[in-house]
mmCIF file of all heavy atoms in Angstrom:
data_model
loop_
_atom_site.group_PDB
_atom_site.id
_atom_site.type_symbol
_atom_site.label_atom_id
_atom_site.label_comp_id
_atom_site.label_asym_id
_atom_site.label_seq_id
_atom_site.Cartn_x
_atom_site.Cartn_y
_atom_site.Cartn_z
ATOM 1 N N VAL A 85 -0.110 7.937 -7.232
ATOM 2 C CA VAL A 85 -1.577 7.928 -7.177
ATOM 3 C C VAL A 85 -2.059 8.233 -5.761
ATOM 4 O O VAL A 85 -2.981 9.029 -5.567
ATOM 5 C CB VAL A 85 -2.133 6.567 -7.673
ATOM 6 C CG1 VAL A 85 -3.595 6.403 -7.328
ATOM 7 C CG2 VAL A 85 -1.927 6.429 -9.177
ATOM 8 N N LEU A 86 -1.432 7.618 -4.759
ATOM 9 C CA LEU A 86 -1.842 7.849 -3.378
ATOM 10 C C LEU A 86 -1.589 9.296 -2.951
ATOM 11 O O LEU A 86 -2.437 9.911 -2.304
ATOM 12 C CB LEU A 86 -1.120 6.888 -2.439
ATOM 13 C CG LEU A 86 -1.511 5.421 -2.583
ATOM 14 C CD1 LEU A 86 -0.654 4.559 -1.665
ATOM 15 C CD2 LEU A 86 -2.984 5.202 -2.291
ATOM 16 N N LYS A 87 -0.450 9.850 -3.327
ATOM 17 C CA LYS A 87 -0.156 11.245 -2.989
ATOM 18 C C LYS A 87 -1.151 12.182 -3.652
ATOM 19 O O LYS A 87 -1.649 13.117 -3.017
ATOM 20 C CB LYS A 87 1.272 11.597 -3.399
ATOM 21 C CG LYS A 87 2.318 10.985 -2.491
ATOM 22 C CD LYS A 87 3.716 11.296 -2.973
ATOM 23 C CE LYS A 87 4.750 10.591 -2.107
ATOM 24 N NZ LYS A 87 6.117 10.792 -2.619
ATOM 25 N N GLU A 88 -1.444 11.929 -4.919
ATOM 26 C CA GLU A 88 -2.387 12.777 -5.647
ATOM 27 C C GLU A 88 -3.789 12.715 -5.039
ATOM 28 O O GLU A 88 -4.495 13.718 -4.979
ATOM 29 C CB GLU A 88 -2.447 12.356 -7.119
ATOM 30 C CG GLU A 88 -3.309 13.257 -7.974
ATOM 31 C CD GLU A 88 -3.268 12.853 -9.437
ATOM 32 O OE1 GLU A 88 -2.161 12.715 -9.979
ATOM 33 O OE2 GLU A 88 -4.347 12.676 -10.016
ATOM 34 N N ALA A 89 -4.175 11.530 -4.555
ATOM 35 C CA ALA A 89 -5.510 11.348 -3.968
ATOM 36 C C ALA A 89 -5.557 11.778 -2.500
ATOM 37 O O ALA A 89 -6.625 11.802 -1.895
ATOM 38 C CB ALA A 89 -5.933 9.886 -4.089
ATOM 39 N N GLY A 90 -4.400 12.097 -1.918
ATOM 40 C CA GLY A 90 -4.367 12.524 -0.524
ATOM 41 C C GLY A 90 -4.528 11.401 0.483
ATOM 42 O O GLY A 90 -4.952 11.634 1.608
ATOM 43 N N VAL A 91 -4.190 10.175 0.070
ATOM 44 C CA VAL A 91 -4.282 9.033 0.976
ATOM 45 C C VAL A 91 -3.013 8.974 1.820
ATOM 46 O O VAL A 91 -1.921 8.846 1.279
ATOM 47 C CB VAL A 91 -4.463 7.715 0.189
ATOM 48 C CG1 VAL A 91 -4.508 6.529 1.136
ATOM 49 C CG2 VAL A 91 -5.704 7.757 -0.680
ATOM 50 N N PRO A 92 -3.147 9.067 3.151
ATOM 51 C CA PRO A 92 -1.951 9.033 3.989
ATOM 52 C C PRO A 92 -1.322 7.645 4.050
ATOM 53 O O PRO A 92 -2.021 6.642 4.183
ATOM 54 C CB PRO A 92 -2.457 9.440 5.371
ATOM 55 C CG PRO A 92 -3.923 9.505 5.301
ATOM 56 C CD PRO A 92 -4.354 9.257 3.898
ATOM 57 N N PHE A 93 -0.008 7.596 3.919
ATOM 58 C CA PHE A 93 0.716 6.330 4.091
ATOM 59 C C PHE A 93 2.093 6.647 4.650
ATOM 60 O O PHE A 93 2.620 7.743 4.487
ATOM 61 C CB PHE A 93 0.795 5.532 2.788
ATOM 62 C CG PHE A 93 1.594 6.149 1.676
ATOM 63 C CD1 PHE A 93 2.907 5.777 1.463
ATOM 64 C CD2 PHE A 93 1.020 7.094 0.830
ATOM 65 C CE1 PHE A 93 3.646 6.341 0.420
ATOM 66 C CE2 PHE A 93 1.746 7.653 -0.206
ATOM 67 C CZ PHE A 93 3.063 7.278 -0.410
ATOM 68 N N ASP A 94 2.660 5.661 5.329
ATOM 69 C CA ASP A 94 3.963 5.840 5.967
ATOM 70 C C ASP A 94 5.076 5.699 4.944
ATOM 71 O O ASP A 94 5.860 6.613 4.724
ATOM 72 C CB ASP A 94 4.109 4.813 7.097
ATOM 73 C CG ASP A 94 5.426 4.935 7.840
ATOM 74 O OD1 ASP A 94 6.082 5.994 7.765
ATOM 75 O OD2 ASP A 94 5.824 3.952 8.495
ATOM 76 N N ARG A 95 5.140 4.521 4.323
ATOM 77 C CA ARG A 95 6.177 4.267 3.320
ATOM 78 C C ARG A 95 5.840 3.024 2.527
ATOM 79 O O ARG A 95 4.954 2.256 2.893
ATOM 80 C CB ARG A 95 7.553 4.126 3.973
ATOM 81 C CG ARG A 95 7.705 2.928 4.887
ATOM 82 C CD ARG A 95 9.025 3.012 5.660
ATOM 83 N NE ARG A 95 9.305 1.804 6.393
ATOM 84 C CZ ARG A 95 8.802 1.489 7.589
ATOM 85 N NH1 ARG A 95 7.954 2.302 8.171
ATOM 86 N NH2 ARG A 95 9.142 0.373 8.191
#
Side-chain angles (χ1 to χ4, degrees):
V85 167
L86 292 176
K87 286 177 184 175
E88 185 176 308
V91 178
F93 65 97
D94 181 19
R95 65 189 188 278

